[in-house]
Every structure is written in structure tokens, then in C-alpha cells.
Amino acid sequence: MAHYDLLVIGTGSGNMFLDKRFAGLKTAIAEEWHFGGTCLNVGCIPTKMFVYPATVAEEAAHAKRYDVDASFSGVDWSDLQERIFSRVDAIEAGGREYRMSDRQPNNTVIPEHVRFVDEKTVVTDSGEEITADRIVIAAGAAPTIPDTPGLDPARVDTPGYPIVTSNSIMRLPEQPKRLAIVGSGVVAMEFAHILSSFGTEVTVVARGPRLLQDFDATASAEFTEIFTADHNVILGAQPAAYRLGEGEGAPVTIDLEPSGRMDDVDIPASVDADIVLIAIGRHPNTEGLDAAAVGYDTTADGRLVVDDFQRVYAGGRPVPGVFALGDISSEHQLKHVANHEARVVGDNLAVDVAAGAPGAAPETALTRSSHKAVPAAVFTSPQVAAVGMTEDEARAAGHDVTVKVQNYSDVAYGWAMADDPGIVKIIADRDTRLILGAQIVGHEASMIIQPVIQAMAFDQPADEVARGQYWIHPALPEVIENALLGLDFSPR
């Protein structure tokens, strides 16, 4: 049995905080997969490196809308992959080499899956038991695979099997000619944009009446209307069974049935595709760690329960010296949130080590994580961005709400884009004048939402944000300015 001062499980954001503060500790890092986690290897970074050329391709294909004579004739799939993954893979290899090198003499990398056998003990797949005084759990989340007839979960993402997740679709040896996407959330919409822009025939199978249903209803409806105008989307349907053709590369047939979420739905009996992307959501990796089995508290959706200090709970109490961060514990499956939580864990772990015994540091010495004004964006076409509450959430919370929806076409830069569709929706409290939430659907939504995030983070009243600074004319952020000016507040 090996014993360590500190065990870190996972090397996404969990690999961020191990700096000189912990150089004197005997440390182990358990990583069964790729260093860098989801974001670097199969998530935010490579997907956006695909999204940008996809957007260029889409703009070329639709250039006539702007009176430009241009066209799109295809993408070099292998060259694109090489450009993207030569960089991604080098970063992954560099991170692994650094932790295994002589520059980290007190650190041991355990390249295996581990699972808990008690609160402070794990066992590897090869049977080695490892104990640690302090543990940081940062094992992330994984794509959810449904239990559907004809679908073999063990073969998903394996070579030659035509059903994949976001873990492998970007590394397919060839661009699929026909792709069926099961799901209508963030991952589904980003890959629908990427592959359809590159010329793949894409069909989206969505259970609900709208796409991106976790967003505000107005934003979701706006996006659905825009997206369905140019893409093949089947709403109110779900797979009843999968039928695979004979031989490698044979098509997949998805037999469809009504999902029960729409009335009087008219759906085709089946959809044929060369590749099927399962994108119905992601689940935290707690089950594979046997976290609940050893007494760690988990939420209804399987996340580890943590407090504001990122301490992991068992039996309603914080376990001394055990912290968690990122998708395995956070309701926000977002890299920027995981990075923030990693900084908090690093600070609190350092205080805990300085205090002597695990858990000895007083709470007054610990740093709290903040999940105020957490933004999110979907890099699809059009982009979607959001921060704070939806309108329904704000009303349910008891706020006297004022709402303004502003069209992109209401500002001069919108005219420059030939009145492309898009909206900004801002929700504020009528009395306090504070912004409660915002949703944007349209060009560069992920960028122009930033002034709203800042206003919410620093409790800046919406009318002061609108009138207390210059807004560059005729830049696109004027649509934010006009939305703020359109809010109706109580008299002072």
C-alpha cells in the first residue's frame, strides 16, 4: 500500500493548482485518460477550433445574402484535424511529461482508473491500494449513453462502430456524408453547425418542441426558428431502436417514435445515417469512483456535494482534507467555472496544509467560491449566450420584473449584416434596477454579452451601465445599450 500527502484524481482543472505551495508534499495524480481533461482534448478547445472554420465556410456559402460573389466547395478534413490536434496533442503530452519528469521529484503519476474503498483510500484497476491524507476529486463528467435497443454502449466510440459521442467524432478518419444527431443541447447544436457547414447532410432528432431548451424560452424559441429554417430538425421524436447495417461503414437506421413532449407530432418512421452522434447530455463520473458507496454525499443527478469552500461532504459533514471541483461536483459544466473552483481549492488546500491536520483550518481562513453571474455560450449558428436567471426563474423568485427584447436589426451594425436575425433579451428588477439575467441569440453573442456579465458581477444598475459610459457607434454592442435603455424602472 502506497501512502501520499495529497492525491489528485483527474487532470483537467485539477492539474491547475499544484504549484510551489505544495512542492514539499508527496503527491500522486491519478489519470486514466488524457492530461488536460475534457476541455483540452474533446471539448471547448478543439470544438471551437472546428467551429471557426465552419463559420467561415457557412459565411462563404451564404455570401450572396450580403451581395458578395463567393462559394464554399469543401473542407480538407485531414488537414484540419492535423492543424487542430497537432497542437492539442502536444499540450496534452507536455502536461503529462511535466508531471512525470524530474522537475516534479515528489510527484507520482498513476495512469489508471481508481475507485474509492473508503473516504481516504482508493484502489487502482491493477489492484494497488493508495491512501492519502488529503484528496482532491476532479474527475469530471462523461457523455451519457441511453439504453436503447440495438445500441451497444460498450462499443460506442470504438473504431468502426458508427455510433459516437463528442469523445471521438472530431477524430473520425473521414468526414461523414450523413450524420444523425440525437439531442438538442449545447453539444448537439455545436456539432450540427460544424458538420453541416462542412457539407455533411445533418439530421437532428430532438425530443422537445424547441432546441436548447435549458435556455430562456424566448431565446430558445428564437434559436429554434432560425436554426430549423436551414437545417433538417425532427422535433418531438426519440430513437426507438438502432439497426446497424452489415459490415464496417454500413449505414445506421434509427427507428423513431414520438417522445410524448409534443401534441400531434408528425415524424418520419426512421432516419438513415453513416454516423450517429449521441449528444443527450453528460453525467458526473461519481459512479465509476464508487463515491456514494463509501459514504460521500451525492445530489439527485449524481454530483458530489460540496460547500462554498469546495469541501466534499459525507453524512452531512465536510470530510477533513477532501475537496472537489469541476463537473463532478458543480451544477455548471463549464471550464471557466472549473478553473475558478480550482483556484479556490488551491487556496484552501494550502491553508489546510499550513494548519497541520486535515480539516484543522478554521472556516474564517478559507476562501469561498463564487457562482454569481455565471455565463455560458453555445458556439453554433447563430451563437447563443446567457448569464443569470431566465425570465421564468426571475418571476418565480419573486422579483418585480422588467424585460426588454431588442432585435439585432434595430442597430446600424445589424443593418450592415443585412438585417440578420438575432435578439438581446435583458431581465432586470424594476425596483433595484439590477440586471437579473440576459440571453443573446445572434452574431458574436459570446463576445457582446460581456458588459452584462460585468454589470451583474459588480452590482451595477442597468440604467447606469446604459448611460454612464460610451458605447462605440455603430458597433454591435449598441444592441445591448438599446436593450438596457428599454427597461422600465420604478421612479426613484
Side-chain angles (χ1 to χ4, degrees), residues 113-471:
H113 176 74
V114 300
R115 57 182 176 82
F116 283 95
V117 292
D118 64 42
E119 288 182 356
K120 294 288 187 74
T121 306
V122 300
V123 62
T124 69
D125 279 353
S126 62
E128 180 185 8
E129 280 200 356
I130 297 168
T131 60
D133 296 327
R134 293 174 175 86
I135 300 176
V136 175
I137 307 171
T144 298
I145 309 298
D147 182 16
T148 307
L151 175 61
D152 185 352
R155 296 184 64 194
V156 171
D157 287 327
T158 62
Y161 194 66
I163 303 177
V164 301
T165 71
S166 55
N167 281 353
S168 67
I169 188 170
M170 290 179 284
R171 295 191 187 248
L172 289 174
E174 296 180 355
Q175 177 187 343
K177 292 182 173 60
R178 298 177 302 169
L179 174 71
I181 300 177
V182 178
S184 59
V186 174
V187 174
M189 292 302 96
E190 290 191 349
F191 280 111
H193 166 51
I194 291 168
L195 272 302
S196 63
S197 297
F198 288 159
T200 295
E201 180 186 318
V202 174
T203 300
V204 175
V205 179
R207 297 181 66 191
R210 301 191 312 271
L211 306 172
L212 297 178
Q213 287 200 107
D214 289 341
F215 286 76
D216 178 89
T218 304
S220 173
E222 175 79 1
F223 175 79
T224 301
E225 181 178 353
I226 297 170
F227 195 85
T228 55
D230 290 326
H231 299 81
N232 184 24
V233 178
I234 304 170
L235 298 171
Q238 65 186 17
Y242 292 87
R243 289 182 284 126
L244 275 61
E246 296 293 333
E248 183 174 337
V252 183
T253 298
I254 309 175
D255 294 327
L256 299 179
E257 63 183 6
S259 66
R261 296 188 180 183
M262 292 179 64
D263 296 329
D264 301 322
V265 62
D266 182 18
I267 63 174
S270 63
V271 171
D272 291 331
D274 301 306
I275 296 291
V276 176
L277 170 65
I278 303 293
I280 62 172
R282 297 174 62 84
H283 61 275
N285 286 322
T286 46
E287 185 175 349
L289 294 177
D290 287 349
V294 299
Y296 285 129
D297 296 341
T298 57
T299 63
D301 60 353
R303 291 176 288 115
L304 288 172
V305 174
V306 296
D307 61 14
D308 289 346
F309 307 112
Q310 300 300 134
R311 297 181 299 185
V312 175
Y313 272 54
R317 60 172 180 83
V319 181
V322 180
F323 299 85
L325 62 94
D327 293 357
I328 201 158
S329 58
S330 178
E331 63 179 317
H332 305 286
Q333 290 190 356
L334 298 164
K335 178 61 171 175
H336 43 277
V337 173
N339 286 352
H340 166 74
E341 293 173 354
R343 289 189 290 270
V344 170
V345 167
D347 291 346
N348 290 340
L349 190 63
V351 170
D352 192 69
V353 170
E363 288 190 355
T364 53
L366 300 178
T367 300
R368 292 181 183 273
S369 55
S370 171
H371 297 104
K372 179 181 181 180
V374 173
V378 190
F379 294 81
T380 181
S381 182
Q383 284 190 11
V384 182
V387 61
M389 297 180 182
T390 66
E391 181 179 350
D392 290 343
E393 289 170 344
R395 295 187 186 281
H399 291 278
D400 184 6
V401 167
T402 175
V403 176
K404 176 62 177 177
V405 178
Q406 194 79 38
N407 293 318
Y408 271 43
S409 58
D410 293 333
V411 300
Y413 203 91
W415 308 344
M417 297 187 295
D419 295 328
D420 275 355
I423 60 168
V424 169
K425 179 178 181 178
I426 297 183
I427 303 134
D429 186 284
R430 195 180 302 276
D431 297 323
T432 67
R433 290 172 154 75
L434 295 179
I435 300 170
L436 302 173
Q439 293 79 36
I440 304 178
V441 179
H443 184 69
E444 299 296 1
S446 62
M447 292 189 186
I448 69 171
I449 198 172
Q450 194 63 44
V452 182
I453 300 168
Q454 179 172 319
M456 293 179 64
F458 295 104
D459 293 326
Q460 298 170 325
D463 52 347
E464 293 182 13
V465 174
R467 298 184 183 277
Q469 63 180 318
Y470 283 108
W471 295 81

Side-chain angles (χ1 to χ4, degrees), residues 10-11 15 29-37 40-41 88-104 107-112:
T11 60
N15 195 36
I29 300 176
E31 178 55 78
E32 63 175 307
W33 194 51
H34 305 301
F35 263 61
L40 173 65
N41 294 284
V88 167
D89 293 347
I91 296 171
E92 191 278 340
R96 182 182 298 273
E97 189 277 332
Y98 174 70
R99 292 300 185 195
M100 297 179 71
S101 71
D102 293 340
R103 291 172 290 172
Q104 297 271 286
N107 185 71
T108 299
V109 173
I110 303 167
E112 290 188 75

